[in-house]
Amino acid sequence: APADAVAAALLEQGQALAVVNRLQDIPPLLDRVRVLSPVSGMPDELRERYEWLSGWVALNVGERREARAHFGRALEAARRAGDIGAQVRALYGRSASETFVNRVAPDRDRAAALRDHREAARLLENLIHFGRAWHWVSIVCWGCCTVQFDDGTSGQARVSIVS
């Protein structure tokens, strides 16, 4: 549908804004996307990107629970669409929100963050194993941070902004 094509272009613009750290400019684009393609009927490919961007916007303003919910919905849409790369992206986003990007938050869920991180790494390893990951390696490695967990383990949290 033409409206979905316009919505997809707006979401691409939102990702470009995220790359240059202009997250504050993304909410108006998300509003326009919702007008063109209501969330309840949004195709999974659009829904994944919409929820993923919404997650980063929420996390940027300190709304960790809201961010986690957006990343969870992005993951569900990516799974329905069968998009492994988008699943990796959503899992890394949810992992970042569960640890609140290393900020002190009494209710953060480090165990869930580690599970999401490991699941994303497993999916990415499967892509590499089957020779389909060179594109994804460059995308997923756009931003990295190390997360230290209470049990002494650590993990690399990678954030993909471009796909």
Side-chain angles (χ1 to χ4, degrees), residues 3-15:
D4 288 344
V6 174
L10 289 169
L11 292 170
E12 289 291 329
Q13 184 180 0
Q15 286 189 264

Side-chain angles (χ1 to χ4, degrees), residues 42-148:
M42 198 177 280
D44 287 330
E45 295 79 11
L46 288 180
R47 180 74 184 264
E48 181 275 325
R49 286 184 182 238
Y50 171 84
E51 296 291 354
W52 182 78
L53 276 173
S54 297
W56 284 112
V57 169
L59 193 58
N60 186 55
V61 297
E63 295 294 335
R64 187 187 63 75
R65 286 188 191 110
E66 182 180 336
R68 186 179 190 291
H70 282 297
F71 290 127
R73 288 189 293 269
L75 179 60
E76 291 168 8
R79 285 179 175 156
R80 285 191 304 270
D83 187 335
I84 293 172
Q87 290 175 48
V88 170
R89 182 171 55 211
L91 283 161
Y92 277 124
R94 193 167 73 178
S95 178
S97 67
E98 287 160 340
T99 59
F100 203 38
V101 193
N102 269 344
R103 296 180 187 164
V104 175
D107 63 338
R108 65 184 176 171
D109 190 344
R110 292 180 209 108
L114 184 58
R115 277 192 308 274
D116 281 349
H117 172 79
R118 287 181 176 156
E119 176 65 9
R122 185 191 65 76
L123 288 170
L124 188 57
E125 284 174 16
N126 287 342
L127 287 175
I128 291 169
H129 177 73
F130 293 108
R132 297 181 293 170
W134 290 114
H135 174 68
W136 269 100
V137 169
S138 64
I139 291 169
V140 172
C141 291
W142 180 86
C144 300
C145 67
T146 300
V147 179
Q148 186 72 37

